[in-house]
Amino acid sequence: MENDDFIRTTEERHKRTVQAVLQKVYDAGDIYFATYGGHYCFGCERFYTDKELVDGKCPDHGVAPTWIEEQNYFFRMSKYQDWLKQHILDNPEFIRPERYRSEVLSMLDMGVLEDLCISRPKSRLTWGIELPFDANYVTYVWFDALLNYVTALDWPDGEKFAKFWPVAQHLVAKDILKPHAIFWPTMLKAAGLPVYAHLNVHGYWLVKDTKMSKSLGNVVEPVRLSEVYGLDAFRYFLLREMRFGSDASFSEDALVGRLNADLANDLGNLFSRVLSMCAKYFGGAVPTPGDLVEEDQALMGLGRTSLENFTALFPRCRFSMALEALWELVRGLNKYVDEQAPWALAKQGDTARLGTVVYVLLEWMRKVAAHLWPVMPGAAEAMYGQLGLALDGPGLDLGAEAAAWGGLKPGGALATASNLFPRLEVGGAPQGTKADAVPAGKPAKEAKPKAGKEEKPACTPAEGPCTVEFADFQKLELRVGSVLAAEKHPDADKLLKLSVDLGEEGGPRQIVAGLAEFFAPEALVGRQVVVVANLAPRKIRGLVSQGMVMAVRTEGGMELVAVSGPVAPGSRVS
Ligand SMILES: [Zn+2]
């Protein structure tokens, strides 16, 4: 899914659509002129019913509304009530999930739909689109706004309208269910347009069962989370954790827990162990499979069912269930590794059987990766890359994948190691005098990819020393940089904005560091510092920081990590 258009309802193309549709509906006799009286809030520019007012006042503005009687145009929505009800009954997936379909049906059963007031006199509302049949009036909100969906597809005779409208799916939040489920289809029907195919209604992300709000200060920032945990992993969590249609509760603990369980332990571990076995036993090449035995056939059955379920559920917005179905396969593959014990086959010298087991694993891993593409495109491409293949995501035929076999060709080159989803941790930076990178102004809670807490419990400072593989250490790019300029961060007392020369062609880097409490800016200019150079850039209080300066916290302050003599800017620390 991507956005290939952006529309404002003030655009000329939209005005044309609205006027053409209004004229059609008017000519058909479904728009009429009548006197309407109601409680009007000028702040909201809308009428309120008695029921909607709180102690007789506007719920948003807290002021008593004004009783207004005026003549307006109305859309004869009531005329289409029975048709709409029948359409919903005949098409069980028209509104989904089911709870919202039932909600709409009960709205329709509650009584006769009121006709929709669709105009405001120009004397009172200066903006809006003029009615084609009465220049003294403009259209008001829903009748105008909903039509932007067909405007964007170049209704009535655009190619996009012909291609997309018959299969159109709306994706809306539950608070705008009524206009999309009742106003919109009846408007389409009255205008002689086919109705959309599906209305998909989602719930809200809550924080500790409360709505997010700026005043409560509990707003979760998706961009920050995707930077900290990775965009693909964050996407996976959002689709896996929320039952589409229901509200879901967000917490960073739940996020880390889910990513560690599903991605690091199940999927990442599968890739890691199978690829390292391929490297060890087959020199990093796809082995040649022999005949499949009963255990292999059982796995094939599980795999086909899992993929068929995924393919049936995903397009119906049942993302969470679809991923659950796919993970039955992922866990089944890990279990197959344990039961078939390739290491034992290698020890026995049974290369033929070993080749079959490993091939079966690799081929199902490929299929899992293909199915993950809609959820985690980047990770799916990386998995394909490790399997020595290129993934054409948009060209995938997932329907055919469940039954297909043999996508991997024996002899093909594989990655010899895999670390797709390192284990994550929610927690603060280590305390004490250990050298650590210092971008102060960071949230106290910061997750860092770290060695597994459960597998290697020694890896937190409280629990004693921790070991990492040399290869992991090598991933850190520590470089010496010369500070060319330093100044206070315009919006943060503890931060300095540094310009650091790392000997790079693109010029010096901007680094934001929490040093202002301990160093005057001018005291840093000309000094050499050690920089973590390959951290993903991040914004700190509005300024992009392209690295971290290493420092040591002392009892009374802070000292910088330095080299014992001058070195060329950009020299690597090893
Ligand atoms: Zn109001």
Side-chain angles (χ1 to χ4, degrees), residues 94-112:
F94 180 59
I95 300 167
R96 60 194 181 192
E98 178 61 32
R99 58 188 295 180
Y100 297 109
R101 178 174 179 259
S102 317
E103 196 177 322
V104 172
L105 283 172
S106 64
M107 284 181 211
L108 293 174
D109 284 340
M110 260 161 27
V112 181

Side-chain angles (χ1 to χ4, degrees), residues 34-37 40 47 68-72 119-121 124 137:
T35 302
Y36 181 81
Y40 198 82
F47 286 102
I68 287 187
E69 269 184 29
E70 67 183 20
Q71 291 193 301
N72 262 314
S119 70
R120 292 289 183 271
R124 210 153 56 64
Y137 285 86

Side-chain angles (χ1 to χ4, degrees), residues 257-495:
R258 173 64 74 186
L259 298 185
N260 279 341
D262 293 6
L263 298 188
N265 283 3
D266 290 345
L267 183 61
N269 191 31
L270 175 68
F271 268 75
S272 165
R273 62 204 296 214
V274 174
L275 287 174
S276 69
M277 286 190 286
C278 289
K280 198 168 167 190
Y281 305 135
F282 297 102
V286 179
T288 306
D291 292 338
L292 302 185
V293 302
E294 201 183 321
E295 291 95 325
D296 308 333
Q297 295 296 357
L299 180 70
M300 303 292 274
L302 170 74
R304 276 192 294 269
T305 307
S306 152
L307 299 189
E308 281 161 7
N309 287 340
F310 180 94
T311 311
L313 292 163
F314 201 87
R316 297 165 67 203
C317 292
R318 304 196 174 182
F319 308 119
S320 176
M321 291 165 77
L323 288 167
E324 245 174 74
L326 191 60
W327 250 251
E328 281 180 26
L329 172 57
V330 173
R331 284 189 292 266
L333 290 169
N334 274 316
K335 196 164 159 244
Y336 178 82
V337 175
D338 298 339
E339 289 171 357
Q340 297 304 310
W343 48 90
L345 295 170
K347 220 173 180 180
Q348 295 154 16
D350 190 350
T351 315
R353 177 66 193 148
L354 178 63
T356 304
V357 167
V358 170
Y359 185 88
V360 165
L361 284 163
L362 289 169
E363 178 67 359
W364 282 110
M365 282 154 57
R366 184 189 67 75
K367 289 159 176 275
V368 168
H371 284 74
L372 277 174
W373 183 78
V375 181
M376 300 195 284
E381 281 161 21
M383 287 180 233
Y384 254 62
Q386 294 187 349
L387 296 172
L389 300 170
L391 178 61
D392 167 24
L396 278 171
D397 179 359
L398 292 185
E401 268 297 342
W405 188 250
L408 277 167
K409 299 289 169 249
L414 302 163
T416 51
S418 170
N419 187 21
L420 290 164
F421 305 105
R423 286 187 63 83
L424 302 159
E425 197 170 283
V426 178
Q431 298 294 307
T433 54
K434 191 178 164 198
D436 60 43
V438 198
K442 272 194 348 185
K445 268 193 160 189
E446 170 86 349
K448 296 178 173 179
K450 247 187 146 181
K453 194 178 172 184
E454 280 143 43
E455 289 151 13
K456 292 185 188 172
C459 279
T460 59
E463 291 162 311
C466 137
T467 56
V468 295
E469 297 300 320
F470 183 63
D472 287 331
F473 168 71
Q474 277 185 313
K475 286 182 201 154
L476 263 187
E477 207 181 300
L478 303 175
R479 292 188 184 275
V480 178
S482 300
V483 180
L484 302 181
E487 59 182 274
K488 294 213 159 193
H489 189 297
D491 302 318
D493 291 344
K494 295 183 178 173
L495 299 179

Side-chain angles (χ1 to χ4, degrees), residues 500-511:
V500 182
D501 179 13
L502 288 172
E504 291 166 317
E505 260 177 38
R509 292 197 191 191
Q510 173 170 293
I511 295 180

Side-chain angles (χ1 to χ4, degrees), residues 40-46 48 57-63:
Y40 198 82
C41 172
F42 284 93
C44 303
E45 288 289 10
R46 62 163 280 198
Y48 279 97
K57 289 172 181 169
C58 164
D60 282 355
H61 290 89
V63 293

Side-chain angles (χ1 to χ4, degrees), residues 528-567:
Q528 289 203 304
V529 291
V530 176
V531 172
V532 186
N534 61 340
L535 276 181
R538 54 173 299 168
K539 251 190 188 173
I540 301 175
R541 290 295 194 93
L543 292 181
V544 175
S545 185
Q546 302 166 296
M548 285 184 180
V549 173
M550 300 199 74
V552 180
R553 287 177 203 279
T554 61
E555 211 148 295
M558 180 173 285
E559 298 294 340
L560 295 172
V561 173
V563 280
S564 57
V567 300

